[in-house]
Amino acid sequence: MPAGRPDPGGHGFSQLARAVVVGTFRHVAGPALLVVDEDPESLRVVERELIDRYARSYRVLTASSARQASAQLQELADAGEDVALVLAALRVCDSTGAEFLASVRTRYPHAQRGMVIDWGTWGDGSTGEVIFHAMARRQIEYFVVRPSRTPDELFHQSVSTFLLEWANARRVSPQTVHVVGESWTGRAYELRQVLGRCAVPHAFVLAESDEGRELLATVDDPAPLPLPLVVFPNGKVLADPDNLELARAVGATIDPDRREVDVVIVGCGPTGLSAAVYGASEGLRTLVVDRGGIGGQATSSSLIRNYLGFPRGLNGRVLAERAFEQAWLFGAKFAFMHDATAIRREGDRIEVTLSDGGDVSAAAVILACGAAYRRLAVDELESLVGAGVFYGGTGSEAPGMTGADVFVLGGANSAGQAALHLAEYARRVTLVVRGTSLAKGMSQYLVEQVEGTPNIEVRLGTEVVGAVGEGRLERLVLRRATDASTETVAADAVFVMIGALPNTDWLPDSLARDRGGFLRTGVDLMPADGWPLERPPLSLETNLPCVFAAGDVRHGSPNRVASAVGEGSIAIRLVHQLLSAQEIHTVEVNA
């Protein structure tokens, strides 16, 4: 067998080959991949696969015990070197794999952590319980099955997923868009919001920082450009673009090139995206309109753990990106940064007026416009939005919270997910809940994760009533419900996630709503709502025939991503049912 090549049986490297590989690649500059296993043969097998595939870009290190691995991590930290991935077996000599992997975050908060299991234990109940609890306590991201032969592409798929997550967390993606501004607030914050809504990886830098000056130095323009600037990976620069210009630049909008379609979907969250996928794939001329971009509130979910078919969990932004790509490939059209401003019936068609002044005519309309986060009635917080005060999700801001004291306001699933995501970066996360129990508004698996995360503190029966900060949030004023006493605490950031209001202010008053402003549909319509036809309304149909409501904007919606996706597909089925009935009626009349 030639030196330096794996043996044909996949049993590993010869001694000479191992020496060549280790001597050539093991000490290359680059982030480290560390493997910990007390079994020498198992350790060798994993090391072999990592060296064979990743050694040109990463340092591959091994350890036979938790103590040895901890010493290596300390040496790397002292030398200022990064760690991308740590893999550990169920047992690592002097510790459990989960306990050791939990300790990795103290030195390397961005490092991905995987538990290595044998193929024979995959599906075993006791092993599954260990993995479940390790994930619930945020000790690991996921597991990986130890490779059995070389090359083991299933193993490499898992490792590549780990490395992609690490790169996204570290903002080392070559596709990152940079916003350069004079302050965190104002227009620079608005541009970051646009990029976030368009599901575009982005980062913010102050113009006067070292990184900011370095980026500005790369701008090839004889005259100074007005801030904020948006610097793209390909070198393109936009100076204070408007929202539509920015959306076009990142390829996230298509001006509506047709004004007559089968179905208009208002809203591009999970419901709207689902309706777009099913509508376009089933041959309907489909147009999606959204004042923002892709994903709606789903993009604020850093990790959706209970979405069917994704045991590792699914990032809300990634879900939105995939759904958008899927709908686009099926032929759906998108008009981002366009508001739907009015809706009315014209004969047998529904007319939707857009913010560009034009109308779109459709056989049916699906209102999937969702809901927006409620604002706190605290003036001091409003003046600091973007400068430590954030409404909604944590995806784009979390990496900037490393070592910070962060507060999350809210008691629902989105707040729990935000707290867990922030806990991977922040020194301490405080979850502030007005209610007396987390279980009232949060799924049990999230409650267990929150309570099992050491750097998350939960304050029940508490609300924020004030804030202090000069240019950026510095302190919050908390009030306890039991005795109305107040306390001022240091705070680097606060994320407000206290419920939502439906985006229905643009709709006519004649469209039936409940007391909260959510749209009533189907059997929830009341006699006073004025249903005008002899046939009963379809299940998601509003009191305006051929106009459907689905997802968070609808009265009685379960407020779950899976439910939203399901309602989008159901709405399309109802549109087909409606169109079929109209065709039958036309044929009968012509006869």
Side-chain angles (χ1 to χ4, degrees), residues 453-465:
T453 303
N455 62 330
I456 294 181
E457 176 186 354
V458 180
R459 292 199 178 198
L460 299 173
T462 306
E463 59 183 336
V464 173
V465 295

Side-chain angles (χ1 to χ4, degrees), residues 142 304-314 319 322 562:
Y142 205 52
I304 305 168
R305 282 282 311 281
N306 58 352
Y307 193 76
L308 183 67
F310 291 87
R312 184 189 180 111
L314 182 63
L319 172 64
R322 292 176 179 174

